[in-house]
Amino acid sequence: MATTAIGTNTDMVWQEVYQFETAVLETIDSVLQLINVVNQNDVSDTHQPNLAYGSHRTGPGNTFGSWSVLTRLKGSYFRDDDNLDLPFTAGFYMTIAKELADVPGVLNHRVKRYILNDPQGQTINWNAVSGRYVDGVNLWTQFPYRREGTLELNIIRTSDMEQLLYFPVSELPENYALYWGGFHGGGQHFRVDADSFFDYGFYMWLDGIYVGAGWQVCGGGETIKFSPTIERVKIYYQNPVVNSFDSMKWSIGQNFTMRGKGFTIPEASLDMYGPPPPAWNDRIEKVEFIGKQNQGTFTVTTPFLDYDNDHVTIAAVNMPALPDGTYEIYITKRCDIWGAVRYHCFAGDYRCTDEGQLLQGSRLVLLIGEAGDYPPPEEPIILTEWEITHLDESIFRYLAPIDVRSPDIFYDGYILNVSSLKRAINDRTGLYSVSDMTLDLANNDKEWSKMMAQYIMKNAHVSIFHAWGTEPHGWRTRIHRMIVDDYELEADKFRVFLKDITKKYFELKIPEYFITSEEYPDAHEDAIGKGMSDILGENSLLGTADDPVWGVSSPGSFEAYCIDKTNFYYLASRGSLHAIPEVYSDDVKMATPGDYSVNYRDGGRTYIDFVGDQGDKKITFNAEGYMFGAWNSVNGYIQNPARILRFILMILLHIPVELINMISFDDMADYFEDKGYETSAKFRACEPKKAEEKLSEFLFTFGIKLFPDREGRMSIGIKDKSNYQSDYYIFEQLDCIDPARNMPQLKRAENYVRYKWDEHQAAKLFLKADSKRSELSISDFGDSILEARGSPWKFPYTTNETLVAARVNDELLKRAYGEKWLKIKIPIHKIEDLDIFDNFRFQSLYAPSFTGAGQAGWYYYIIDMEYNWSGNSIIITAVDLGWLMGQCMIIGKFSELTRDWMDANVYQRTFAYIGNCATGTFEDGIPNKKICDCYE
Amino acid sequence: MRRLKYAISNLVDVDTLIDVYSEDDVYVMDNLYNGRPSKPYRSTGIGTPGTPEWICVTFPAPRMISLVALFNHNLTMLEGVGDELRFKGCNLGCESPACDWDAGAGMHEVDISGSLIEVEKGDRATFENLYSRTKMREPSYRLDIIDQNNPDGHIEIGEYFLGNWEDFSANCFLQPGRPDSPMYFKGDQRTFMGQDWISYYSKAKEMTLTFVNLNTPDRVNEVEVFLDRVHENGGRVVIIPDRDSKFCFLMKIEDTSGFGLRTLYGEDGEKKTWTIPMKALTTGVMLL
């Protein structure tokens, strides 16, 4: 079953939003909670600390108080009238926890929600709506919103993708998705009204509770209240997206093909919970070539277009006669089901993955003829784009070392000097680093004196691009995104110091929140100032009675802190934990029900509420960590290393989604699942520590490398036997400005390691430890070299012994003979071909080889790239991948190899072709490969 | 001797009323007089017969114009039927209905399309600068352009110069014998094995202005006044190598450090040649 609204459809493009503006609306003395009948006198100005919905009745009669949720997407990334103007469905993913259910025997509850629309002439100051407080009386003098007349009963329980009409109270906390739009059983269909949805958001309120004899409302004196944590919104669009052209240049006689998604969305993929209605007929109407040099607009319409959902081809005979120049391409499609509604996109403004996830792109341009002089001179140009924010407005500046004219942007030639820029991965910790960068700008015309007086440029975004004078502006390559850290003015020179855009996030200490006496006035004095723990994955430290082998005398992975001495409430976690399997009081296991209960309050925080006073006893507990909808493991909470890492970056460190390469995280999640490690990870932030230290520990545990891609987005990856190959060659004689430096890094060698894993916070211990030796290395060196850092390798965030053993094996293979670095300096001309974490093959006449013939194409991967625009070069540091290849007998895939070695290309010749055993050669006399001595 | 000509002050400046037939959003008409040929004005069209692209300026009072020059333009050789490049003067103002720019009422005009220089370089057949000597005294001037074969789809002018040419009483000439020489900015690399990696950045013209026989204080003083005026003009000067040359350049003087010595010793008997290096202002880089 295709499930368009809830997240598995891959025929349409979609994106996820993780930032919201939210508020709680409290009504008093209201007969109904319907938003369009609430009036000013019904709205409370009571402080509401957390998102909540529910109702209460202070006495008999039909008067209620209620809490309802208002949410709107934040930012504008999801909305673009030229590209993303028609959402098809929108799903809100949230964790719902029970806050208070003072209704005897309540089993289920159900909500209604509406997309809001025109505020009837009133406006709301969303900047004043923080999600924790809303002054309903003063801000909303007349209730501003009306509701859209759309269906409101579509709920998915994401753990089993079951469609529900209500939420069972006993399941909570649980992940659910509420959605709008699409098709439904019975032939109903509607689309999300984009203006209402994006401008005004949605409204969610409690519609009723089920006690056992039908749906009802609260009785007199009863209260029921739930706290939703909205995690993300997934929006599907009917707009098409163009990822690429088969050729960026077109000449007469050639077909022209664009590839992407959503050109004609198949009806079958829309079948969610009922048959799709007839006459969907989603189709391309026309393709327009818009000349950037006033060549005019040339249109190709339907009869001359050949297309399916992922490509559009215009046959050569149907291509218009395009004059020389560059062209943007604008696509229009329509779908009959909504009437004469058109959908548009500019090719390249957005790109999408195979799964349909949207990525921000840059507009593609098609080149006809030549872009510059012919024959073309190699003309490298650095281009920079500056976005300075002032009073919610963005001011742009475009700078280069020389005046550069492009069709839509003029780059002022202010740049006098550019320092080098280094992007690197620490191969040991997995963390990345980006060097600071300095730009000197001419201030002869006092442009920057004026800028300094007008704007605070601190944290302004600066994108660095590389372009060639022989190529259209639209073909430029982004190198990195940075922010302004500081600047100084020296008469006619303005010096700007840039730093990596993500650096500020890693300097944050986590956990971010603390127990305060203001928030918890009755807290135990020992609890004040303690961090509110964030917990992920399975964390279990059992007592000896429960686990005779691994049980410990001080069980419980975490410590809970008393925040209410009168009622014996203990805070376990700032978020909603999936479960707390065990609780210990001074190492004595407690029972539930009886000794304690686990409850969720104050916006989903997890509390352990004891029945009796625990005095000064130390309360510890084991935990199953946070949930996050589609990221959960089969156990219902997040356990996959890649998912936990994404949670840390996005939720704990607040890194915006546009700075995360989500695809790489999804790929790595699949990787860990394939390896059988999908439930292997855990994480905790209990005592304040710099995020980069915690991240470094986590990355090392799993061998993950975290690095910025060219778009400045954080990506992750792993080097293993499936990821060392490359078809890209660097030839020392041709490409290296200086001779290559082979650096074994023997002083960094380690051939005997102790290691430990499975760390627990409360007892401050690693539960397990072991050691491993590289006997060959010890024999060669004549000595054992203990781990260089003088302490055992630590894998704190996993309990998986198999994973740890594999990690130790990999690291030891890599380090037992040093780390084998290669350092080369190559011309800037290679700038678009190579990036950090890329593999390449290196040919060197002087590289180590038995015969002295050098190496024809040894494998390396890049951990460090230093761009030197002044020197016109790139310095690359790469790591020898021999430690991976040494684990492989590379036979090759028979179907991909030529039968005769003589016909094999250089790539194929790295595989194990077997020659003549008697002569030890191939037919042409070249020595063949041997597996071992041959038998005649 | 066919004397070198020069012009210093561009009468088109921030105080001039200026209007254009069409204007690109990014490359606005103020760029016509910003002193940066690399930051140009662009029209949105290329003109059609009867509907030219035009640039019209109005001065507060009639101004003598003896030199019209366009720097870093993108004009072709104007070989289309109906193509034109005309400089017109009118005494009634750009907006005056009595000044019929098309029919010619109340105005003078000169066809300056003959100033385009055909060269064989790159993908364009014209040299990027042109000038024309004229003799008009009007408050308003309009430049009409129709260039129907222009492959860029717009008219681009880096600097629009309206001024008055002058020459020196002293003997002076440009070196080398050919009046300009190319100056290439590049960042070549070579591998240790000899492989060349060539990076072309941009190019400009460089030349030296050479004075000889500065053997009287008056002549030295004339050069000093010239240098002072150029300095006050941001170091920029329009140079026409000689009266018959079709080439012109918008130059900046690179070095005047030797001038003090010449002033001191500019007495009888001082006959050594004296050179002033100059560089043409960059034309920048254009990306499609």
Side-chain angles (χ1 to χ4, degrees):
Chain A
M1 176 184 292
T3 51
T4 304
I6 57 170
T8 57
N9 185 290
T10 57
D11 289 326
M12 307 176 83
V13 297
W14 51 269
Q15 65 173 315
E16 292 176 326
V17 180
Y18 291 83
Q19 292 177 307
F20 318 95
E21 291 165 324
T22 57
V24 177
L25 175 71
E26 185 179 50
T27 59
I28 51 177
D29 299 329
S30 172
V31 176
L32 292 167
Q33 298 94 331
L34 283 174
I35 194 163
N36 52 338
V37 297
V38 173
N39 60 49
Q40 176 188 356
N41 294 329
D42 296 330
V43 180
S44 158
D45 63 355
T46 307
H47 177 86
Q48 294 294 331
N50 299 291
L51 270 193
Y53 65 88
S55 70
H56 62 93
R57 187 151 61 167
T58 51
N62 249 351
T63 56
F64 298 90
S66 71
W67 303 277
S68 308
V69 171
L70 290 163
T71 296
R72 191 178 71 162
L73 309 186
K74 193 173 182 179
S76 57
Y77 171 49
F78 46 82
R79 182 180 198 170
D80 182 338
D81 288 342
D82 280 336
N83 290 278
L84 299 173
D85 53 347
L86 284 172
F88 177 66
T89 61
F92 279 68
Y93 291 72
M94 60 186 77
T95 300
I96 295 177
K98 179 183 69 180
E99 185 124 352
L100 184 61
D102 184 21
V103 179
V106 63
L107 297 174
N108 303 313
H109 78 284
R110 67 185 184 193
V111 298
K112 284 191 174 179
R113 70 263 183 210
Y114 299 101
I115 288 179
L116 298 163
N117 70 4
D118 194 306
Q120 299 174 314
Q122 298 293 313
T123 57
I124 180 172
N125 178 9
W126 276 96
N127 291 328
V129 178
S130 68
R132 296 176 67 81
Y133 177 79
V134 57
D135 181 345
V137 172
N138 291 311
L139 281 178
W140 298 346
T141 52
Q142 291 181 359
F143 196 77
Y145 291 133
R146 292 178 294 131
R147 65 179 173 85
E148 283 282 340
T150 54
L151 293 177
E152 71 277 0
L153 289 171
N154 314 302
I155 302 162
I156 299 294
R157 180 169 52 209
T158 56
S159 58
D160 58 7
M161 295 299 189
E162 184 181 355
Q163 189 183 34
L164 308 170
L165 292 178
Y166 54 82
F167 303 90
V169 174
S170 62
E171 284 184 354
L172 303 180
E174 176 62 278
N175 297 120
Y176 295 97
L178 317 181
Y179 66 92
W180 285 264
F183 296 111
H184 302 270
Q188 300 175 82
H189 57 274
F190 59 93
R191 66 184 174 89
V192 175
D193 182 289
D195 290 338
S196 297
F197 178 66
F198 292 138
D199 286 345
Y200 309 120
F202 89 107
Y203 176 66
M204 170 182 173
W205 53 278
L206 179 68
D207 179 52
I209 55 177
Y210 187 81
V211 177
W215 291 97
Q216 62 178 63
V217 295
C218 289
E222 293 177 348
T223 300
I224 190 158
K225 191 175 184 183
F226 302 91
S227 57
T229 303
I230 300 173
E231 296 162 346
R232 65 189 167 115
V233 176
K234 187 167 189 176
I235 309 165
Y236 281 90
Y237 296 88
Q238 274 184 262
N239 297 83
V241 161
V242 177
N243 283 334
S244 63
F245 305 151
D246 276 8
S247 173
M248 300 298 282
K249 287 179 71 173
W250 181 81
S251 303
I252 291 173
Q254 294 177 338
N255 294 341
F256 174 66
T257 297
M258 297 179 281
R259 300 192 184 277
K261 195 178 285 286
F263 298 123
T264 171
I265 300 163
E267 291 179 8
S269 72
L270 308 170
D271 180 13
M272 294 195 306
Y273 298 103
W280 165 252
N281 203 10
D282 188 63
R283 64 193 186 277
I284 298 286
E285 199 168 60
K286 61 181 176 181
V287 174
E288 293 170 89
F289 296 83
I290 303 170
K292 294 297 291 175
Q293 289 78 38
N294 291 331
Q295 305 95 311
T297 298
F298 301 82
T299 304
V300 182
T301 53
T302 305
F304 306 106
L305 301 169
D306 171 29
Y307 61 92
D308 61 20
N309 196 41
D310 59 14
H311 89 277
V312 178
T313 295
I314 304 173
V317 67
N318 293 325
M319 277 293 282
L322 299 173
D324 283 0
T326 53
Y327 294 82
E328 293 174 347
I329 296 179
Y330 193 58
I331 297 176
T332 301
K333 60 177 267 192
R334 63 175 291 180
C335 174
D336 287 345
I337 196 72
W338 316 126
V341 177
R342 263 75 175 182
Y343 316 75
H344 306 283
C345 82
F346 271 105
D349 278 8
Y350 290 85
R351 314 289 170 92
C352 71
T353 65
D354 289 345
E355 290 73 28
Q357 183 174 10
L358 285 164
L359 309 169
Q360 280 184 313
S362 56
R363 191 163 297 179
L364 291 165
V365 292
L366 181 68
L367 175 64
I368 312 295
E370 299 296 335
D373 292 343
Y374 190 83
E378 295 288 324
E379 189 173 7
I381 308 167
I382 314 162
L383 304 174
T384 64
E385 176 185 305
W386 302 57
E387 183 180 4
I388 301 156
T389 306
H390 178 62
L391 299 177
D392 291 334
E393 285 187 20
S394 289
I395 295 101
F396 289 90
R397 287 286 184 276
Y398 302 92
L399 310 180
I402 188 169
D403 283 353
V404 177
R405 309 185 293 280
S406 74
D408 303 314
I409 295 172
F410 176 77
Y411 294 86
D412 274 299
Y414 278 111
I415 297 177
L416 300 174
N417 189 40
V418 187
S419 73
S420 62
L421 168 70
K422 180 185 273 195
R423 300 164 60 227
I425 304 169
N426 184 323
D427 197 40
R428 291 204 168 199
T429 66
L431 264 182
Y432 73 90
S433 67
V434 175
S435 67
D436 293 345
M437 189 176 179
T438 306
L439 292 178
D440 291 338
L441 308 178
N443 190 42
N444 303 62
D445 61 357
K446 301 177 183 174
E447 169 70 7
W448 303 102
S449 303
K450 289 183 276 187
M451 288 289 287
M452 270 183 77
Q454 285 179 289
Y455 308 112
I456 303 300
M457 289 189 282
K458 173 79 174 176
N459 289 339
H461 287 208
V462 181
S463 287
I464 315 286
F465 296 91
H466 185 89
W468 295 101
T470 50
E471 294 179 349
H473 176 250
W475 295 6
R476 68 196 184 283
T477 305
R478 192 196 297 269
I479 301 301
H480 202 56
R481 287 209 287 195
M482 308 191 82
I483 55 173
V484 173
D485 189 33
D486 204 352
Y487 42 80
E488 59 190 32
L489 182 63
E490 188 181 327
D492 59 358
K493 189 183 290 181
F494 185 64
R495 176 164 290 174
V496 187
F497 304 96
L498 306 178
K499 71 175 182 179
D500 177 43
I501 196 168
T502 58
K503 202 169 184 177
K504 62 181 179 182
Y505 299 107
F506 295 110
E507 290 172 352
L508 185 72
K509 284 188 174 178
I510 52 174
E512 193 177 1
Y513 299 95
F514 300 87
I515 297 170
T516 64
S517 53
E518 182 186 5
E519 194 167 12
Y520 296 109
D522 196 25
H524 192 285
E525 56 272 22
D526 290 346
I528 301 299
K530 289 284 193 294
M532 292 186 186
S533 298
D534 288 305
I535 297 170
L536 290 145
E538 183 183 21
N539 296 267
S540 181
L541 188 61
L542 297 170
T544 49
D546 293 322
D547 186 347
V549 179
W550 293 108
V552 297
S553 56
S554 296
S557 190
F558 301 100
E559 184 172 358
Y561 300 107
C562 179
I563 46 81
D564 187 334
K565 291 180 290 189
T566 305
N567 294 302
F568 324 128
Y569 294 165
Y570 285 72
L571 178 67
S573 171
R574 190 175 68 90
S576 298
L577 295 173
H578 181 258
I580 293 185
E582 292 92 18
V583 173
Y584 302 91
S585 178
D586 262 0
D587 305 330
V588 176
K589 190 174 180 181
M590 300 282 101
T592 183
D595 297 329
Y596 71 93
S597 62
V598 174
N599 294 299
Y600 304 88
R601 294 186 295 275
D602 305 329
R605 289 177 189 172
T606 308
Y607 293 97
I608 300 169
D609 297 343
F610 280 93
V611 174
D613 189 357
Q614 301 300 303
D616 290 336
K617 290 177 180 173
K618 183 178 181 180
I619 305 302
T620 57
F621 64 98
N622 293 325
E624 294 171 359
Y626 294 161
M627 301 163 284
F628 202 88
W631 300 356
N632 292 340
S633 72
V634 292
N635 297 320
Y637 54 102
I638 319 172
Q639 291 185 282
N640 188 305
R643 306 284 192 212
I644 286 186
L645 184 54
R646 179 152 65 176
F647 189 94
I648 296 168
L649 299 178
M650 292 182 62
I651 310 299
L652 300 186
L653 301 184
H654 314 296
I655 298 178
V657 64
E658 60 265 27
L659 292 182
I660 305 235
N661 181 346
M662 305 288 268
I663 311 309
S664 72
F665 282 81
D666 286 338
D667 288 347
M668 287 310 302
D670 292 343
Y671 170 89
F672 284 113
E673 195 166 330
D674 291 344
K675 290 275 186 185
Y677 299 147
E678 69 271 27
T679 60
S680 64
K682 60 178 183 173
F683 184 78
R684 68 179 191 285
C686 302
E687 292 145 1
K689 204 170 182 180
K690 253 191 178 178
E692 63 185 3
E693 292 178 42
K694 302 283 288 183
L695 271 175
S696 174
E697 294 169 351
F698 188 87
L699 295 170
F700 182 74
T701 298
F702 299 97
I704 300 171
K705 311 298 182 202
L706 176 69
F707 57 97
D709 65 15
R710 281 197 168 126
E711 298 297 318
R713 299 172 308 172
M714 273 173 279
S715 305
I716 59 172
I718 278 180
K719 286 294 171 198
D720 72 357
K721 283 181 281 189
S722 67
N723 182 11
Y724 71 86
Q725 295 195 33
S726 172
D727 291 329
Y728 192 86
Y729 279 83
I730 293 177
F731 297 92
E732 185 175 22
Q733 294 102 313
L734 299 179
D735 298 325
C736 293
I737 294 167
D738 297 329
R741 291 171 61 198
N742 272 288
M743 301 182 289
Q745 301 280 305
L746 290 173
K747 60 188 175 188
R748 292 166 69 96
E750 295 169 276
N751 56 24
Y752 171 38
V753 295
R754 299 162 296 167
Y755 58 96
K756 52 188 184 179
W757 70 100
D758 192 8
E759 189 183 18
H760 298 271
Q761 176 255 340
K764 293 183 169 46
L765 62 78
F766 283 83
L767 192 58
K768 297 169 186 173
D770 207 340
S771 66
K772 188 173 178 68
R773 296 158 57 92
S774 170
E775 298 297 351
L776 190 61
S777 172
I778 291 170
S779 170
D780 285 342
F781 290 174
D783 196 3
S784 61
I785 305 170
L786 269 176
E787 59 276 355
R789 288 187 293 181
S791 59
W793 291 354
K794 295 172 186 168
F795 303 89
Y797 297 120
T798 186
T799 58
N800 191 310
E801 188 170 351
T802 308
L803 182 150
V804 172
R807 284 282 303 124
V808 170
N809 189 57
D810 274 357
E811 289 294 323
L812 202 54
L813 275 171
K814 190 162 53 174
R815 301 189 195 183
Y817 288 90
E819 293 179 8
K820 296 181 183 168
W821 288 1
L822 175 75
K823 200 160 194 169
I824 53 176
K825 184 177 181 183
I826 60 174
I828 198 101
H829 302 69
K830 305 277 185 187
I831 195 166
E832 289 156 334
D833 300 340
L834 296 164
D835 201 2
I836 54 173
F837 205 65
D838 280 358
N839 304 326
F840 68 90
R841 302 183 68 180
F842 189 63
Q843 174 275 349
S844 170
L845 200 59
Y846 297 99
S849 71
F850 283 114
T851 63
Q855 290 174 349
W858 199 250
Y859 291 87
Y860 292 88
Y861 97 97
I862 299 171
I863 59 168
D864 191 323
M865 289 189 82
E866 183 174 349
Y867 306 91
N868 184 345
W869 282 281
S870 303
N872 222 20
S873 61
I874 306 170
I875 297 172
I876 286 178
T877 304
V879 172
D880 187 331
L881 286 168
W883 64 278
L884 280 176
M885 297 163 65
Q887 300 174 55
C888 310
M889 172 57 202
I890 305 173
I891 299 291
K893 191 173 179 182
F894 182 77
S895 61
E896 292 179 358
L897 297 174
T898 58
R899 184 172 179 77
D900 187 342
W901 182 87
M902 294 288 287
D903 298 330
N905 63 27
V906 68
Y907 174 75
Q908 291 169 318
R909 290 182 188 200
T910 62
F911 296 95
Y913 282 91
I914 307 300
N916 186 309
C917 278
T919 63
T921 63
F922 289 102
E923 289 176 21
D924 60 359
I926 292 177
N928 64 224
K929 294 188 178 186
K930 296 177 181 178
I931 296 174
C932 58
D933 288 342
C934 295
Y935 292 97
E936 292 299 330
Chain B
M1 177 175 277
R2 296 172 300 177
R3 284 181 177 169
L4 174 145
K5 308 291 181 191
Y6 69 89
I8 297 175
S9 299
N10 189 355
L11 298 177
V12 182
D13 61 20
V14 70
D15 296 324
T16 310
L17 285 175
I18 189 165
D19 196 11
V20 291
Y21 178 74
S22 69
E23 179 184 37
D24 183 87
D25 291 341
V26 175
Y27 302 95
V28 297
M29 61 182 171
D30 289 352
N31 293 349
L32 283 166
Y33 52 87
N34 63 2
R36 283 163 71 181
S38 52
K39 187 176 185 180
Y41 152 79
R42 280 183 186 175
S43 65
T44 60
I46 51 180
T48 55
T51 313
E53 293 289 337
W54 49 255
I55 301 163
C56 193
V57 299
T58 300
F59 300 108
R63 303 296 294 267
M64 178 69 190
I65 301 294
S66 61
L67 182 68
V68 182
L70 306 181
F71 296 100
N72 202 24
H73 68 74
N74 72 337
L75 300 176
T76 69
M77 287 304 293
L78 303 182
E79 291 169 339
V81 177
D83 280 0
E84 67 176 32
L85 180 63
R86 291 179 178 276
F87 184 68
K88 303 174 177 178
C90 181
N91 61 2
L92 296 171
C94 286
E95 301 296 330
S96 170
C99 192
D100 188 342
W101 294 103
D102 298 323
M107 69 173 196
H108 303 99
E109 72 169 87
V110 57
D111 179 357
I112 61 172
S113 60
S115 301
L116 288 160
I117 306 169
E118 186 162 15
V119 294
E120 287 299 329
K121 69 185 187 69
D123 61 346
R124 194 175 292 276
T126 52
F127 187 59
E128 66 259 19
N129 304 336
L130 69 84
Y131 80 96
S132 177
R133 285 196 282 167
T134 180
K135 196 172 184 179
M136 291 190 198
R137 186 180 180 84
E138 302 287 0
S140 300
Y141 295 96
R142 198 170 100 162
L143 182 69
D144 287 7
I145 307 167
I146 302 173
D147 186 5
Q148 298 165 92
N149 294 333
N150 194 308
D152 295 336
H154 58 252
I155 306 299
E156 181 169 301
I157 297 172
E159 192 77 359
Y160 181 38
F161 187 95
L162 297 183
N164 292 287
W165 62 265
E166 302 172 59
D167 54 16
F168 295 103
S169 60
N171 288 330
C172 68
F173 55 87
L174 289 170
Q175 283 185 326
R178 180 185 159 84
D180 62 274
S181 61
M183 182 179 187
Y184 294 112
F185 297 88
K186 51 191 177 158
D188 293 353
Q189 290 279 21
R190 181 172 293 164
T191 72
F192 67 104
M193 299 287 285
Q195 175 68 38
D196 287 307
W197 291 92
I198 300 165
S199 292
Y200 168 94
Y201 290 155
S202 69
K203 63 190 173 191
K205 301 290 185 187
E206 62 179 353
M207 57 187 77
T208 54
L209 185 60
T210 302
F211 294 92
V212 296
N213 296 330
L214 292 174
N215 49 10
T216 68
D218 286 348
R219 288 193 169 181
V220 173
N221 189 52
E222 181 187 0
V223 178
E224 183 176 3
V225 169
F226 165 75
L227 291 175
D228 282 350
R229 289 173 60 202
V230 173
H231 178 70
E232 287 168 5
N233 194 46
R236 298 181 184 88
V237 58
V238 176
I239 295 289
I240 301 164
D242 65 68
R243 62 183 302 161
D244 296 328
S245 171
K246 296 187 76 174
F247 291 92
C248 68
F249 304 94
L250 182 54
M251 309 294 292
K252 79 184 256 280
I253 292 179
E254 294 277 85
D255 184 10
T256 58
S257 59
F259 184 72
L261 289 173
R262 300 302 163 192
T263 305
L264 286 173
Y265 296 107
E267 301 291 347
D268 291 346
E270 173 60 61
K271 294 180 181 178
K272 291 180 182 175
T273 57
W274 172 31
T275 58
I276 299 173
M278 297 186 293
K279 168 189 171 291
L281 292 176
T282 181
T283 56
V285 172
M286 189 177 82
L287 302 176
L288 285 185

